[in-house]
Amino acid sequence: MRVSDEIHHGKVAVITGGGRGFGKAFGTALAARGAHVVLADIDGHAAASAATEIVAKGGSASAAACDVADEAVVAAVFGEVAEEHGGIDILVNNAGLHSAAYNKPSAEIGIAGLRRLFDVNVMGVYICSLAARPAMSGRPGAAVVNISSSAAYGNRAAYGVSKLAVRGATAQLAREFAADGIRVNAIAPGLIFTDTIRAELPKDEAARVMSQQILSREGEERDIVDALLYLVSPASSFVTGETLRVTGGFALSV
Ligand SMILES: NC(=O)c1ccc[n+]([C@@H]2O[C@H](COP(=O)([O-])OP(=O)(O)OC[C@H]3O[C@@H](n4cnc5c(N)ncnc54)[C@H](O)[C@@H]3O)[C@@H](O)[C@H]2O)c1
């Protein structure tokens, strides 16, 4: 059996930023393999319509309006999920701010923008992980997967610094959560052509990034979904604290 065919029947997965892009693709893939998925997104309408699509395909899904930077809302959402489903097996900390607005010089982003970037991309990982931990503790195969970025290895802008912090948080939380049998890993995607990226990224910037890949094809959502399926499966049961780059070899260094 391939890792991507692993069955997650009876498992409960919470996916932040689950309303579109990677989050929706993760939810679709885990639901297709039997998990109940909770799509938690600041855009409650996007989350609800993504959940409806998954249910229409025969999956089990629900939606929650949730800002990952809002501790009280996160506590309420995760508490409800734990109560209704008896626990949480998989947490995907995927919600993130990554538009061109956060790939500018710090002075242009401004203090309020920088604060919001780190609140969502970094504090959101801590807030959701700590909220989920009691409900994940001792569940066989419990796994947290954080979404970092290839930008964490280049650091041209504050966005990359926030994603470098996600790599650090991954190693730290892996150490702390191991006592509860929870593995914590991250994926650092390169340029992946989601709807948002197609709509927002200038063509010359996309070409610049692709020229630094070793593999010349476009990165697709399924590349990141396959990495997620590996990191939540028993095939990675001896892997924790790692960040897996899925970039087509973008700006590879040793
Ligand atoms: N697409 C890429 O090429 C790429 C590359 C590297 C890393 N990433 C990372 O992957 C993740 C998902 O990217 P995507 O391309 O699918 O993005 P996207 O913009 O298509 O979707 C992000 C989702 O997160 C939600 N969101 C934003 N702020 C939130 C908050 N505070 N609380 C809850 N939900 C919130 C949005 O409403 C949206 O539905 C992000 O963390 C991003 O930084 C993406």
Side-chain angles (χ1 to χ4, degrees), residues 3 23 34-35 44 73 79 105 110 126 129 144 162 168 181 196:
V3 166
V73 172
Y126 279 102
S129 299
V144 176
S162 75
T196 308

Side-chain angles (χ1 to χ4, degrees), residues 2 15 39 48 56 95 97 99 113 118 121 123-124 127 131 143 149 153 165 179 197-198 204 206 235-236:
R2 296 182 325 151
I15 300 151
L39 307 177
L97 296 174
S99 74
F118 283 85
N121 288 13
M123 287 308 298
I127 291 169
S149 169
Y153 299 80
I197 290 290
R198 276 192 204 287
D204 57 339
S236 63

Side-chain angles (χ1 to χ4, degrees), residues 17 20-22 41-43 66-68 94-96 98 116 120 147-149 159 163 189-192 194 196-197:
R20 61 176 69 79
F22 292 170
D41 200 297
I42 196 167
D43 182 344
C66 177
D67 177 353
V68 295
N94 163 77
H98 68 104
R116 180 65 182 159
V120 175
I147 305 302
S148 177
S149 169
Y159 170 72
K163 292 300 189 179
L191 178 59
I192 305 294
T194 57
T196 308
I197 290 290

